[in-house]
Amino acid sequence: MVNDYREAGSASYEATPVDEILGVGMISESDRILQELTGEIRRLADRSEDLEAVNKRMHERVAALEGDLLRASLRPVIKALAELHGECHRHAQHVREIADTEPTLAFAEDFHTVSGRIEDILEGLGAVPIGTEIGDPFDRRLHQPCGTVTTDVEARHDRVSAVYHQGFRNIASEKPVIHAKVSVWKYLAP
């Protein structure tokens, strides 16, 4: 206690031979051990915080890898559903074009309804449509060509001539999970 008072009360306090003989102003062995233990506890606390940060980063990485694995395992299902979605959409459109009776139009609407339900299922799996339309510029990043159609209209060159099925992308990015399957117009001069 005397030591604390002298150090706090006077910055210019110097130990005298009497103080050294009495042990005043000197750190006792127990105080030294206590300081060492306190330092060690601080180092352990710092190390614990570092390890906790590493653990958090590892958990985040594992979660990202699990998401990637899930998306990869769902890819064949999403592809099959995308193709089925395209077939229903094409059939609905075709039946609408040739419909001559009310029941035929109702049949087209049934295809359209099924197409919408498939789209809802795909969205539940994390895939949303890219939205490819006839006349869109062909883009290899979004479209998979499955054929060409010749045209004598130069403005149609390298544009989508038909959509066999829509492309779908992951809901959290612009990168396609499934490319839109399309045919492309190619201009041939007459």
Side-chain angles (χ1 to χ4, degrees):
M1 191 61 100
V2 171
N3 188 21
D4 291 340
Y5 172 76
R6 287 187 183 168
E7 286 180 18
S10 172
S12 63
Y13 176 79
E14 293 180 22
T16 63
V18 173
D19 288 337
E20 288 177 12
I21 293 170
L22 296 175
V24 178
M26 303 195 88
I27 299 176
S28 70
E29 182 66 18
S30 61
D31 287 342
R32 186 187 60 73
I33 292 171
L34 184 59
Q35 284 178 348
E36 287 177 6
L37 287 173
T38 302
E40 189 64 29
I41 289 170
R42 284 190 185 119
R43 285 189 293 280
L44 285 172
D46 291 344
R47 179 76 175 138
S48 176
E49 287 176 11
D50 292 343
L51 290 173
E52 191 173 316
V54 168
N55 191 22
K56 182 180 178 186
R57 286 193 306 272
M58 287 175 55
H59 279 290
E60 290 168 354
R61 181 66 181 138
V62 166
L65 289 171
E66 285 174 343
D68 291 345
L69 181 60
L70 179 61
R71 280 188 292 280
S73 65
L74 287 175
R75 190 169 170 30
V77 173
I78 291 171
K79 184 175 190 244
L81 286 171
E83 290 171 353
L84 185 59
H85 175 267
E87 287 176 26
C88 288
H89 187 73
R90 281 194 314 279
H91 290 310
Q93 192 172 2
H94 176 71
V95 172
R96 280 186 194 133
E97 291 169 2
I98 64 166
D100 56 354
T101 64
E102 193 66 34
T104 308
L105 282 173
F107 188 66
E109 282 307 307
D110 288 344
F111 271 117
H112 184 70
T113 301
V114 170
S115 175
R117 290 184 64 198
I118 292 170
E119 200 168 305
D120 292 343
I121 292 168
L122 285 164
E123 189 171 336
L125 294 173
V128 293
I130 292 172
T132 302
E133 301 288 333
I134 293 173
D136 286 353
F138 176 73
D139 184 346
R140 287 201 179 279
R141 294 171 298 170
L142 303 174
H143 307 134
Q144 175 190 0
C146 65
T148 59
V149 177
T150 58
T151 181
D152 57 358
V153 179
E154 192 171 358
R156 288 184 175 172
H157 182 70
D158 274 344
R159 293 195 170 268
V160 174
S161 64
V163 179
Y164 297 99
H165 69 71
Q166 280 295 328
F168 288 84
R169 64 176 177 79
N170 184 298
I171 201 163
S173 76
E174 293 299 315
K175 187 177 179 185
V177 176
I178 302 295
H179 290 77
K181 195 170 186 180
V182 300
S183 60
V184 182
W185 278 308
K186 292 295 178 186
Y187 173 69
L188 289 178

